[in-house]
Amino acid sequence: MMQQFLLVATAHFLALLSPGPDFFLVARTSIKAGWRHAAFVCLGIAVANGVFILAAFSGITLFRSGSAGFIAIQLAGCGYLLYVGQLFIRFAGASSLTGHKMTSEAALTEKTDLTDRWREFGMGFMSGILNPKNALFYVSLATLIGGAGTAPGLKVVYGVWMFSVVLLWDLLVAIFIGNDAVLRTFSKVLPAVERISGVILICLALSVIVVNVLQLSR
């Protein structure tokens, strides 16, 4: 179980490292308005991820392990992870962070525009809930975890862990992304991070495919 947890936790965290719409929303808000404003955006994103996590993990119980429907969902999830993994590898380094650095004058303007904390929370929530990658990714991970006969209590641990990691990571991004040195350093290592993320996701998908093939061949 510990090996499974480390594999899933690593795949989930590495996927977070690759910038997407949520990442750039947090970065933009932090650079232009400060990390305290961005913190509410982070909370909204985390709650949206929590909705997907809850829906995906509770949906697993609707399918009997080993059934044709469950295997089909697992293979569909594997297909998605393979697709995302090859995208990470293929377009590693294509995302630019330094171009999002704003001037101090723009930051002052943004501060006056984003005074409503609930609006900032709503921005983050809508960004996370409307991101199709989030839904597909969590459903994929949930089907993979469910296929291993994971106990319901451990699924709760997985869900709480993923929610906490999303919130913590986005908060760290909000706090540190405004620093020029951090921004430049992360931009340099980003291609390697994206390639590693792709390899991990592909390996995770292939491992599940192999397990299902072996079970069907018995």
Side-chain angles (χ1 to χ4, degrees), residues 2-35:
M2 180 57 66
Q3 183 178 5
Q4 182 196 62
F5 175 81
L6 292 176
L7 182 61
V8 171
T10 301
H12 177 249
F13 180 69
L14 288 176
L16 287 178
L17 294 182
S18 184
D22 297 344
F23 180 94
F24 284 118
L25 176 61
V26 172
R28 174 182 176 275
T29 305
S30 180
I31 291 171
K32 299 180 71 176
W35 72 268

Side-chain angles (χ1 to χ4, degrees), residues 37-53:
H37 288 263
F40 287 87
V41 176
C42 298
L43 182 59
I45 292 172
V47 171
N49 277 259
V51 171
F52 283 128
I53 292 170

Side-chain angles (χ1 to χ4, degrees), residues 45-199:
I45 292 172
V47 171
N49 277 259
V51 171
F52 283 128
I53 292 170
L54 179 62
F57 278 59
S58 62
I60 289 299
T61 59
L62 298 177
F63 300 91
R64 182 174 57 85
S65 181
S67 66
F70 189 81
I71 292 176
I73 292 177
Q74 277 193 302
L75 294 179
C78 289
Y80 173 72
L81 293 181
L82 288 172
Y83 172 72
V84 172
Q86 65 88 20
L87 285 182
F88 281 2
I89 296 173
R90 181 180 177 185
F91 296 105
S95 302
S96 176
L97 298 179
T98 54
H100 288 258
K101 185 65 177 177
M102 303 297 177
T103 63
S104 57
E105 182 179 354
L108 292 175
T109 302
E110 188 68 9
K111 286 181 181 179
T112 61
D113 293 337
L114 296 179
T115 56
D116 189 342
R117 298 296 197 258
W118 283 107
R119 181 188 172 199
E120 293 157 357
F121 173 86
M123 288 169 57
F125 182 82
M126 293 305 294
S127 175
I129 208 72
L130 295 177
N131 187 348
K133 185 186 77 171
N134 289 341
L136 292 172
F137 184 77
Y138 285 119
V139 169
S140 300
L141 283 184
T143 55
L144 304 186
I145 293 171
T150 307
L154 192 54
K155 291 181 183 179
V156 173
V157 173
Y158 281 136
V160 172
W161 170 266
M162 291 178 185
F163 174 87
S164 302
V165 169
V166 169
L167 180 59
L168 178 59
W169 170 248
D170 285 340
L171 285 173
L172 290 175
V173 170
I175 292 171
F176 290 108
I177 202 67
N179 184 283
D180 288 332
V182 173
L183 197 63
R184 288 194 299 269
T185 300
F186 191 79
S187 296
K188 292 178 181 178
V189 302
L190 180 59
V193 169
E194 290 181 316
R195 292 188 182 96
I196 293 173
S197 301
V199 171

